[in-house]
Amino acid sequence: MIIGCPKEIKPQEFRVGMTPNAAHEAVNHGHSVLIETGAGLGAGFEDATYIDAGAQIAATATDVFAKADMIVKVKEPQAVERKMLREGQLLFTYLHLAPDPEQTKDLLASGCTAIAYETVTDANGGLPLLAPMSEVAGRLAPQVGAWTLQKANGGRGVLMGGVPGVGPARVMVIGGGVVGTHAAKIAAGMGADVTVLDRSLPRMRYLDDVFGGVFKTQYASAGNIAELAMEADMVVGAVLIPGAEAPKLITRAQLSTMKPGAALVDVAIDQGGCFETSKATTHADPVYEVDGVMHYCVANMPGAVARTSTIALGNATMPFMLALADKGWRQACEDDPHLLNGLNVHAGQLTYYAVGKALGIDVLSPQLALKA
C-alpha cells in the first residue's frame, strides 16, 4: 500500500500525521510512504529524517492525495483537501463530524472510506487514539486558562496559586474523564482550589480514592454547575460523548452570574463546545469576550506543543495504521471490532450513529458497510 501524509494546513497546526518512526515501521512492513515536503517541520522532523526512514518526499499535497491509497493526517481534511479525496481511498485522521455538516457532506460525496481516530475504541471502553491528545489538552487547559486570567489578556488578574495572605484561583472542571483528570491535576499542582464535576459515581469514587484531597469532586447537576460557576475564576469544559456533539452546560444567561474576567476554557470545542457561547478560535487569536467572560476555544490545543503531541499521537495510531495497511481496511476492521467503531464514512454513506443523529442523516451500520 502507498501511505501518504500531507502537511497540515489548518491555521496554526504544527503536528504531522506520521512520525519518522511510523514511516520506518511502514516501510519495514513492505509499504511505500509518501510525505509532503516540510510536513514534519512544525514538530521538528526534517525531510532528511523521513528519507533516512525509507520514505519518499512529495513536492505537493496534490501529489500525495493523487498517489496514496491511504491518507494519514492529524486534523480533519480542510475544504481544499476534501476535493482531492477519491472513491476507494482510505482516510485515517481525526474527523469530529457531528458539529461539521460541510465536512460530512464532502466526505460522503468523495466516495472515500474514512476512519476517525476519535471513535476507535478499546477493550476497556476507552478511546485509545483520542486519549493521548486528551492528556495533552487537559494538561494545557490550566496553563492557557492561567494566561487568559492575566489582566493584560482580559482576565480577572488572578494568580492560580495565590500568595500567602491571598487565596488561590477557584477552578471548576466539568467532566472527570481523561481531559478533566489531567486538567485537575495540573490546576491543583499550580496551587488552585479545584473541583471536578462528573455524572458517574464510580468515576468520582475513583478520583477521590486516587487523588484524595488534591482536588474535590461534585455531582454534575445543573444546579451544582450553576452554583460553582458563580464562584469560579476558571471553568474547564472537558465533557465528551464519543462521536456526538458536546452538550451545552453553561448558557449565555449564566455568564451574567459569573465573575467579570473569569476564564472559560472549552476543550470540547472540536465537538461543538460545551458552553453555549463557544466558537472555535485559533492559536493566532485564541481568546474572545462575551458578557465580560473570557473564552479560550482553540480547536487544536495540542498543536501548540506539536512535538510532544505528534510523538504521543504517533505512538497510539501506529499499530492501527499498520493493520489497515497490512490487511486492507475491510479485513483489519473485521479482525478488530474496536477499529470498526472508527468507521464513520464509506462509499457515500455515513456509518456512525451519533453523527447521523446529530446531523439528521441516515446511517448504514458499519457491519453492513464491511459487506458492501
PDB file of all heavy atoms in Angstrom, residues 136-168:
ATOM      1  N   VAL A 136      -2.823  15.672  26.573  1.00  0.00           N
ATOM      2  CA  VAL A 136      -2.114  16.922  26.268  1.00  0.00           C
ATOM      3  C   VAL A 136      -3.035  18.121  26.475  1.00  0.00           C
ATOM      4  O   VAL A 136      -2.662  19.097  27.140  1.00  0.00           O
ATOM      5  CB  VAL A 136      -1.572  16.905  24.823  1.00  0.00           C
ATOM      6  CG1 VAL A 136      -1.031  18.277  24.434  1.00  0.00           C
ATOM      7  CG2 VAL A 136      -0.490  15.844  24.663  1.00  0.00           C
ATOM      8  N   ALA A 137      -4.244  18.058  25.911  1.00  0.00           N
ATOM      9  CA  ALA A 137      -5.179  19.193  26.030  1.00  0.00           C
ATOM     10  C   ALA A 137      -5.561  19.441  27.483  1.00  0.00           C
ATOM     11  O   ALA A 137      -5.669  20.597  27.921  1.00  0.00           O
ATOM     12  CB  ALA A 137      -6.430  18.928  25.193  1.00  0.00           C
ATOM     13  N   GLY A 138      -5.751  18.363  28.245  1.00  0.00           N
ATOM     14  CA  GLY A 138      -6.085  18.517  29.651  1.00  0.00           C
ATOM     15  C   GLY A 138      -4.978  19.206  30.426  1.00  0.00           C
ATOM     16  O   GLY A 138      -5.226  20.099  31.248  1.00  0.00           O
ATOM     17  N   ARG A 139      -3.744  18.826  30.142  1.00  0.00           N
ATOM     18  CA  ARG A 139      -2.621  19.441  30.846  1.00  0.00           C
ATOM     19  C   ARG A 139      -2.385  20.884  30.395  1.00  0.00           C
ATOM     20  O   ARG A 139      -1.884  21.708  31.167  1.00  0.00           O
ATOM     21  CB  ARG A 139      -1.354  18.605  30.638  1.00  0.00           C
ATOM     22  CG  ARG A 139      -1.423  17.278  31.374  1.00  0.00           C
ATOM     23  CD  ARG A 139      -0.207  16.404  31.159  1.00  0.00           C
ATOM     24  NE  ARG A 139      -0.325  15.193  31.963  1.00  0.00           N
ATOM     25  CZ  ARG A 139       0.627  14.702  32.751  1.00  0.00           C
ATOM     26  NH1 ARG A 139       1.779  15.326  32.843  1.00  0.00           N
ATOM     27  NH2 ARG A 139       0.424  13.609  33.446  1.00  0.00           N
ATOM     28  N   LEU A 140      -2.744  21.176  29.150  1.00  0.00           N
ATOM     29  CA  LEU A 140      -2.598  22.547  28.655  1.00  0.00           C
ATOM     30  C   LEU A 140      -3.677  23.481  29.194  1.00  0.00           C
ATOM     31  O   LEU A 140      -3.445  24.684  29.340  1.00  0.00           O
ATOM     32  CB  LEU A 140      -2.673  22.557  27.124  1.00  0.00           C
ATOM     33  CG  LEU A 140      -1.402  22.344  26.324  1.00  0.00           C
ATOM     34  CD1 LEU A 140      -1.723  22.274  24.834  1.00  0.00           C
ATOM     35  CD2 LEU A 140      -0.387  23.453  26.585  1.00  0.00           C
ATOM     36  N   ALA A 141      -4.873  22.938  29.459  1.00  0.00           N
ATOM     37  CA  ALA A 141      -6.029  23.782  29.785  1.00  0.00           C
ATOM     38  C   ALA A 141      -5.764  24.748  30.950  1.00  0.00           C
ATOM     39  O   ALA A 141      -6.045  25.950  30.827  1.00  0.00           O
ATOM     40  CB  ALA A 141      -7.257  22.916  30.051  1.00  0.00           C
ATOM     41  N   PRO A 142      -5.251  24.284  32.097  1.00  0.00           N
ATOM     42  CA  PRO A 142      -4.984  25.245  33.172  1.00  0.00           C
ATOM     43  C   PRO A 142      -3.880  26.240  32.806  1.00  0.00           C
ATOM     44  O   PRO A 142      -3.898  27.395  33.251  1.00  0.00           O
ATOM     45  CB  PRO A 142      -4.533  24.350  34.339  1.00  0.00           C
ATOM     46  CG  PRO A 142      -5.028  22.990  34.002  1.00  0.00           C
ATOM     47  CD  PRO A 142      -4.975  22.897  32.512  1.00  0.00           C
ATOM     48  N   GLN A 143      -2.933  25.796  31.981  1.00  0.00           N
ATOM     49  CA  GLN A 143      -1.837  26.667  31.555  1.00  0.00           C
ATOM     50  C   GLN A 143      -2.370  27.826  30.719  1.00  0.00           C
ATOM     51  O   GLN A 143      -2.056  28.994  30.980  1.00  0.00           O
ATOM     52  CB  GLN A 143      -0.840  25.828  30.755  1.00  0.00           C
ATOM     53  CG  GLN A 143       0.380  26.547  30.251  1.00  0.00           C
ATOM     54  CD  GLN A 143       1.357  25.595  29.558  1.00  0.00           C
ATOM     55  OE1 GLN A 143       1.628  24.506  30.059  1.00  0.00           O
ATOM     56  NE2 GLN A 143       1.859  26.005  28.406  1.00  0.00           N
ATOM     57  N   VAL A 144      -3.207  27.505  29.718  1.00  0.00           N
ATOM     58  CA  VAL A 144      -3.754  28.573  28.876  1.00  0.00           C
ATOM     59  C   VAL A 144      -4.817  29.364  29.631  1.00  0.00           C
ATOM     60  O   VAL A 144      -4.999  30.564  29.401  1.00  0.00           O
ATOM     61  CB  VAL A 144      -4.321  28.014  27.552  1.00  0.00           C
ATOM     62  CG1 VAL A 144      -3.222  27.340  26.751  1.00  0.00           C
ATOM     63  CG2 VAL A 144      -5.487  27.068  27.775  1.00  0.00           C
ATOM     64  N   GLY A 145      -5.520  28.683  30.556  1.00  0.00           N
ATOM     65  CA  GLY A 145      -6.502  29.387  31.375  1.00  0.00           C
ATOM     66  C   GLY A 145      -5.840  30.397  32.289  1.00  0.00           C
ATOM     67  O   GLY A 145      -6.350  31.507  32.492  1.00  0.00           O
ATOM     68  N   ALA A 146      -4.680  30.018  32.849  1.00  0.00           N
ATOM     69  CA  ALA A 146      -3.935  30.940  33.712  1.00  0.00           C
ATOM     70  C   ALA A 146      -3.475  32.158  32.928  1.00  0.00           C
ATOM     71  O   ALA A 146      -3.506  33.293  33.425  1.00  0.00           O
ATOM     72  CB  ALA A 146      -2.739  30.215  34.332  1.00  0.00           C
ATOM     73  N   TRP A 147      -3.054  31.919  31.670  1.00  0.00           N
ATOM     74  CA  TRP A 147      -2.657  33.033  30.791  1.00  0.00           C
ATOM     75  C   TRP A 147      -3.861  33.938  30.502  1.00  0.00           C
ATOM     76  O   TRP A 147      -3.755  35.166  30.526  1.00  0.00           O
ATOM     77  CB  TRP A 147      -2.081  32.468  29.494  1.00  0.00           C
ATOM     78  CG  TRP A 147      -1.640  33.486  28.489  1.00  0.00           C
ATOM     79  CD1 TRP A 147      -0.440  34.108  28.423  1.00  0.00           C
ATOM     80  CD2 TRP A 147      -2.421  34.001  27.393  1.00  0.00           C
ATOM     81  NE1 TRP A 147      -0.406  34.981  27.349  1.00  0.00           N
ATOM     82  CE2 TRP A 147      -1.616  34.936  26.706  1.00  0.00           C
ATOM     83  CE3 TRP A 147      -3.711  33.759  26.929  1.00  0.00           C
ATOM     84  CZ2 TRP A 147      -2.066  35.621  25.581  1.00  0.00           C
ATOM     85  CZ3 TRP A 147      -4.169  34.451  25.810  1.00  0.00           C
ATOM     86  CH2 TRP A 147      -3.346  35.364  25.146  1.00  0.00           C
ATOM     87  N   THR A 148      -5.013  33.326  30.251  1.00  0.00           N
ATOM     88  CA  THR A 148      -6.233  34.087  29.962  1.00  0.00           C
ATOM     89  C   THR A 148      -6.660  34.918  31.164  1.00  0.00           C
ATOM     90  O   THR A 148      -7.215  36.011  31.012  1.00  0.00           O
ATOM     91  CB  THR A 148      -7.374  33.128  29.551  1.00  0.00           C
ATOM     92  OG1 THR A 148      -6.946  32.345  28.431  1.00  0.00           O
ATOM     93  CG2 THR A 148      -8.642  33.884  29.179  1.00  0.00           C
ATOM     94  N   LEU A 149      -6.401  34.419  32.368  1.00  0.00           N
ATOM     95  CA  LEU A 149      -6.785  35.141  33.580  1.00  0.00           C
ATOM     96  C   LEU A 149      -5.926  36.375  33.839  1.00  0.00           C
ATOM     97  O   LEU A 149      -6.299  37.233  34.643  1.00  0.00           O
ATOM     98  CB  LEU A 149      -6.689  34.215  34.797  1.00  0.00           C
ATOM     99  CG  LEU A 149      -7.876  33.288  35.045  1.00  0.00           C
ATOM    100  CD1 LEU A 149      -7.582  32.347  36.205  1.00  0.00           C
ATOM    101  CD2 LEU A 149      -9.143  34.080  35.325  1.00  0.00           C
ATOM    102  N   GLN A 150      -4.776  36.478  33.155  1.00  0.00           N
ATOM    103  CA  GLN A 150      -3.938  37.658  33.351  1.00  0.00           C
ATOM    104  C   GLN A 150      -4.668  38.908  32.868  1.00  0.00           C
ATOM    105  O   GLN A 150      -5.342  38.888  31.837  1.00  0.00           O
ATOM    106  CB  GLN A 150      -2.607  37.488  32.611  1.00  0.00           C
ATOM    107  CG  GLN A 150      -1.736  36.389  33.196  1.00  0.00           C
ATOM    108  CD  GLN A 150      -0.455  36.184  32.408  1.00  0.00           C
ATOM    109  OE1 GLN A 150       0.054  37.121  31.791  1.00  0.00           O
ATOM    110  NE2 GLN A 150       0.069  34.966  32.423  1.00  0.00           N
ATOM    111  N   LYS A 151      -4.548  39.976  33.600  1.00  0.00           N
ATOM    112  CA  LYS A 151      -5.296  41.204  33.308  1.00  0.00           C
ATOM    113  C   LYS A 151      -5.008  41.735  31.910  1.00  0.00           C
ATOM    114  O   LYS A 151      -5.915  42.213  31.213  1.00  0.00           O
ATOM    115  CB  LYS A 151      -4.960  42.275  34.357  1.00  0.00           C
ATOM    116  CG  LYS A 151      -5.905  43.464  34.338  1.00  0.00           C
ATOM    117  CD  LYS A 151      -7.317  43.037  34.746  1.00  0.00           C
ATOM    118  CE  LYS A 151      -8.279  44.221  34.711  1.00  0.00           C
ATOM    119  NZ  LYS A 151      -9.661  43.800  35.055  1.00  0.00           N
ATOM    120  N   ALA A 152      -3.746  41.637  31.474  1.00  0.00           N
ATOM    121  CA  ALA A 152      -3.381  42.145  30.150  1.00  0.00           C
ATOM    122  C   ALA A 152      -4.076  41.376  29.041  1.00  0.00           C
ATOM    123  O   ALA A 152      -4.200  41.879  27.919  1.00  0.00           O
ATOM    124  CB  ALA A 152      -1.863  42.057  29.961  1.00  0.00           C
ATOM    125  N   ASN A 153      -4.551  40.188  29.340  1.00  0.00           N
ATOM    126  CA  ASN A 153      -5.248  39.377  28.338  1.00  0.00           C
ATOM    127  C   ASN A 153      -6.766  39.429  28.500  1.00  0.00           C
ATOM    128  O   ASN A 153      -7.489  38.662  27.858  1.00  0.00           O
ATOM    129  CB  ASN A 153      -4.757  37.924  28.433  1.00  0.00           C
ATOM    130  CG  ASN A 153      -3.268  37.811  28.192  1.00  0.00           C
ATOM    131  OD1 ASN A 153      -2.724  38.505  27.333  1.00  0.00           O
ATOM    132  ND2 ASN A 153      -2.586  36.978  28.954  1.00  0.00           N
ATOM    133  N   GLY A 154      -7.241  40.316  29.358  1.00  0.00           N
ATOM    134  CA  GLY A 154      -8.674  40.500  29.549  1.00  0.00           C
ATOM    135  C   GLY A 154      -9.243  39.799  30.765  1.00  0.00           C
ATOM    136  O   GLY A 154     -10.429  39.920  31.058  1.00  0.00           O
ATOM    137  N   GLY A 155      -8.399  39.065  31.485  1.00  0.00           N
ATOM    138  CA  GLY A 155      -8.888  38.276  32.608  1.00  0.00           C
ATOM    139  C   GLY A 155      -8.994  39.051  33.907  1.00  0.00           C
ATOM    140  O   GLY A 155      -8.762  40.262  33.965  1.00  0.00           O
ATOM    141  N   ARG A 156      -9.312  38.300  34.974  1.00  0.00           N
ATOM    142  CA  ARG A 156      -9.561  38.904  36.280  1.00  0.00           C
ATOM    143  C   ARG A 156      -8.293  39.383  36.972  1.00  0.00           C
ATOM    144  O   ARG A 156      -8.356  40.112  37.965  1.00  0.00           O
ATOM    145  CB  ARG A 156     -10.246  37.888  37.205  1.00  0.00           C
ATOM    146  CG  ARG A 156     -11.710  37.716  36.930  1.00  0.00           C
ATOM    147  CD  ARG A 156     -12.334  36.641  37.822  1.00  0.00           C
ATOM    148  NE  ARG A 156     -12.067  36.799  39.250  1.00  0.00           N
ATOM    149  CZ  ARG A 156     -12.596  37.733  40.023  1.00  0.00           C
ATOM    150  NH1 ARG A 156     -13.422  38.637  39.489  1.00  0.00           N
ATOM    151  NH2 ARG A 156     -12.317  37.792  41.312  1.00  0.00           N
ATOM    152  N   GLY A 157      -7.140  38.944  36.481  1.00  0.00           N
ATOM    153  CA  GLY A 157      -5.903  39.307  37.157  1.00  0.00           C
ATOM    154  C   GLY A 157      -5.664  38.468  38.399  1.00  0.00           C
ATOM    155  O   GLY A 157      -5.146  38.961  39.403  1.00  0.00           O
ATOM    156  N   VAL A 158      -6.040  37.189  38.325  1.00  0.00           N
ATOM    157  CA  VAL A 158      -5.920  36.272  39.462  1.00  0.00           C
ATOM    158  C   VAL A 158      -4.795  35.272  39.210  1.00  0.00           C
ATOM    159  O   VAL A 158      -4.721  34.667  38.134  1.00  0.00           O
ATOM    160  CB  VAL A 158      -7.255  35.518  39.685  1.00  0.00           C
ATOM    161  CG1 VAL A 158      -7.102  34.442  40.744  1.00  0.00           C
ATOM    162  CG2 VAL A 158      -8.345  36.500  40.080  1.00  0.00           C
ATOM    163  N   LEU A 159      -3.925  35.103  40.209  1.00  0.00           N
ATOM    164  CA  LEU A 159      -2.852  34.116  40.136  1.00  0.00           C
ATOM    165  C   LEU A 159      -3.382  32.763  40.584  1.00  0.00           C
ATOM    166  O   LEU A 159      -4.063  32.665  41.606  1.00  0.00           O
ATOM    167  CB  LEU A 159      -1.695  34.558  41.032  1.00  0.00           C
ATOM    168  CG  LEU A 159      -0.437  33.688  41.038  1.00  0.00           C
ATOM    169  CD1 LEU A 159       0.249  33.727  39.673  1.00  0.00           C
ATOM    170  CD2 LEU A 159       0.515  34.174  42.145  1.00  0.00           C
ATOM    171  N   MET A 160      -3.071  31.714  39.831  1.00  0.00           N
ATOM    172  CA  MET A 160      -3.640  30.396  40.107  1.00  0.00           C
ATOM    173  C   MET A 160      -3.410  29.948  41.547  1.00  0.00           C
ATOM    174  O   MET A 160      -4.327  29.490  42.224  1.00  0.00           O
ATOM    175  CB  MET A 160      -3.050  29.357  39.145  1.00  0.00           C
ATOM    176  CG  MET A 160      -3.551  29.474  37.720  1.00  0.00           C
ATOM    177  SD  MET A 160      -5.245  28.920  37.514  1.00  0.00           S
ATOM    178  CE  MET A 160      -4.988  27.155  37.303  1.00  0.00           C
ATOM    179  N   GLY A 161      -2.180  30.071  42.025  1.00  0.00           N
ATOM    180  CA  GLY A 161      -1.875  29.574  43.359  1.00  0.00           C
ATOM    181  C   GLY A 161      -1.983  30.596  44.461  1.00  0.00           C
ATOM    182  O   GLY A 161      -1.737  30.277  45.634  1.00  0.00           O
ATOM    183  N   GLY A 162      -2.357  31.828  44.104  1.00  0.00           N
ATOM    184  CA  GLY A 162      -2.385  32.882  45.112  1.00  0.00           C
ATOM    185  C   GLY A 162      -1.006  33.107  45.703  1.00  0.00           C
ATOM    186  O   GLY A 162       0.008  32.651  45.160  1.00  0.00           O
ATOM    187  N   VAL A 163      -0.954  33.816  46.810  1.00  0.00           N
ATOM    188  CA  VAL A 163       0.288  34.024  47.579  1.00  0.00           C
ATOM    189  C   VAL A 163      -0.113  34.033  49.046  1.00  0.00           C
ATOM    190  O   VAL A 163      -1.305  34.096  49.362  1.00  0.00           O
ATOM    191  CB  VAL A 163       0.981  35.356  47.197  1.00  0.00           C
ATOM    192  CG1 VAL A 163       1.530  35.306  45.783  1.00  0.00           C
ATOM    193  CG2 VAL A 163       0.033  36.538  47.359  1.00  0.00           C
ATOM    194  N   PRO A 164       0.846  33.940  49.963  1.00  0.00           N
ATOM    195  CA  PRO A 164       0.478  33.990  51.376  1.00  0.00           C
ATOM    196  C   PRO A 164      -0.397  35.204  51.684  1.00  0.00           C
ATOM    197  O   PRO A 164      -0.043  36.340  51.356  1.00  0.00           O
ATOM    198  CB  PRO A 164       1.836  34.075  52.092  1.00  0.00           C
ATOM    199  CG  PRO A 164       2.760  33.334  51.176  1.00  0.00           C
ATOM    200  CD  PRO A 164       2.291  33.697  49.801  1.00  0.00           C
ATOM    201  N   GLY A 165      -1.552  34.945  52.264  1.00  0.00           N
ATOM    202  CA  GLY A 165      -2.482  36.017  52.587  1.00  0.00           C
ATOM    203  C   GLY A 165      -3.519  36.286  51.513  1.00  0.00           C
ATOM    204  O   GLY A 165      -4.472  37.044  51.739  1.00  0.00           O
ATOM    205  N   VAL A 166      -3.338  35.686  50.321  1.00  0.00           N
ATOM    206  CA  VAL A 166      -4.290  35.868  49.218  1.00  0.00           C
ATOM    207  C   VAL A 166      -4.663  34.495  48.679  1.00  0.00           C
ATOM    208  O   VAL A 166      -3.785  33.710  48.310  1.00  0.00           O
ATOM    209  CB  VAL A 166      -3.692  36.725  48.075  1.00  0.00           C
ATOM    210  CG1 VAL A 166      -4.732  36.931  46.972  1.00  0.00           C
ATOM    211  CG2 VAL A 166      -3.199  38.058  48.597  1.00  0.00           C
ATOM    212  N   GLY A 167      -5.943  34.214  48.644  1.00  0.00           N
ATOM    213  CA  GLY A 167      -6.410  32.891  48.256  1.00  0.00           C
ATOM    214  C   GLY A 167      -6.122  32.556  46.800  1.00  0.00           C
ATOM    215  O   GLY A 167      -5.902  33.444  45.962  1.00  0.00           O
ATOM    216  N   PRO A 168      -6.116  31.260  46.480  1.00  0.00           N
ATOM    217  CA  PRO A 168      -5.859  30.818  45.105  1.00  0.00           C
ATOM    218  C   PRO A 168      -7.071  31.000  44.200  1.00  0.00           C
ATOM    219  O   PRO A 168      -8.176  31.298  44.672  1.00  0.00           O
ATOM    220  CB  PRO A 168      -5.535  29.330  45.281  1.00  0.00           C
ATOM    221  CG  PRO A 168      -6.381  28.924  46.458  1.00  0.00           C
ATOM    222  CD  PRO A 168      -6.355  30.114  47.390  1.00  0.00           C
TER     223      PRO A 168
END
